[in-house]
Amino acid sequence: MTFPKDGKREVRATLEQHGLSPNKKLGQNFLVDPALLDAIPGDAGVQAGDRVLEVGPGLGGLTRRLLGAGARVLAVEIDHGFVRLLRESLASELNSGALGLVEGDVLASGESLHPEVEDWWKAGPPPRLVANLPYSVSGPFLGRLPGRSLAGAVLLLQREVARKAAAGVGEEGYGPLSIRLALRFSVSLGRKVPADVFWPRPKVESGFLHLNPLGDEKDVEEGILREVLRDAFGQRRKRLLPRLEKSFPEAARRMRELGIPDDARPETVAPSVWWEAAKAVRIPSS
Ligand code: SAM
């Protein structure tokens, strides 16, 4: 089988030929703009030999570019029809070991990723993440990244989710996700992408999100930080510190020491203060 061509007409024809059709629930909006697809590996800084995780390869348009840039790719696809198609169209890359293909949900329970992805992640140097993320997965996937070693990420997603991930203190959308990401990565919005680079056209705006590791590993237990933030942002109508004191007294005390008033709104507190607060929490020994 030759590789399916990009372009709206070609993508539609390939799907028809294989008895497939886009599934809205799985966020199947395919990239059909060859120029954009060609640019992504370079924008993501992919170098020959890099390990790259791609979530949702679909027809493999981006996968093929990543392999063309010399990356060793692990692609995770939930839709059996696409996995079947990729096994045929990328058979030689699968045989050579340049490509690994996992069939299943990239998200596992709790804060985990698919077990095969977890094993792959630990089995080599920090990977890059490059993907046109399915909308339903974007938020939970981003939430699983802080605390993992990562060479960098360039992700195409719903512009609103990208804005939320990159929001600074006081900006709309600033919250647990942006705080946790900001403590580990330099997070920035990349370019906006018009709807007609996809087929079918999504109803929402899309854009790139870039994550680059900060380098200075923050010595805070990710699970504690997540719980402190959940508590603080969960009941915003109550006064912040008296409420936080009930579940995390050391965190509330540290915030007072840092000059945070009792009735501060959690969205006005900087990431570095949340970090100090979480670091102060004593983990009960079992
Ligand atoms: N990479 C292709 C492209 O750019 O044209 C397809 C991207 S499409 C936005 C999202 C892909 O993610 C689809 O192929 C879909 O089946 C897959 N997908 C959706 N949910 C998933 C999940 N939970 N785990 C893994 N793949 C998923």
Side-chain angles (χ1 to χ4, degrees), residues 180 222-232 244 247-248:
R180 290 178 52 229
E222 198 56 45
I224 302 239
L225 176 64
R226 211 172 37 237
E227 288 308 316
V228 168
L229 290 169
R230 187 175 296 159
D231 198 82
L244 193 61
S247 331
F248 297 104

Side-chain angles (χ1 to χ4, degrees), residues 256-278:
R256 280 201 185 96
E257 278 168 17
L258 292 167
I260 305 297
D262 275 19
D263 59 353
R265 285 180 297 122
E267 57 273 26
T268 62
V269 176
S272 56
V273 174
W274 288 114
W275 172 55
E276 291 277 353

Side-chain angles (χ1 to χ4, degrees), residues 24-44:
K24 223 176 168 182
K25 275 202 200 127
L26 293 179
Q28 291 178 347
N29 300 94
F30 303 98
L31 275 175
V32 293
D33 180 341
L36 179 62
L37 281 160
D38 287 345
I40 295 175
D43 289 354

Side-chain angles (χ1 to χ4, degrees), residues 26-31 54 56-58 76-78 105-106 132 134 137:
L26 293 179
Q28 291 178 347
N29 300 94
F30 303 98
L31 275 175
E54 186 193 4
V76 194
E77 174 58 60
I78 200 168
D105 188 343
V106 69
N132 170 18
V137 162

Side-chain angles (χ1 to χ4, degrees), residues 21 26-28 44-45 52 70 80 103 129 134 176 179 186 225 267:
S21 54
L26 293 179
Q28 291 178 347
V52 173
H80 179 67
E103 179 173 350
L129 310 182
I179 293 165
S186 142
L225 176 64
E267 57 273 26

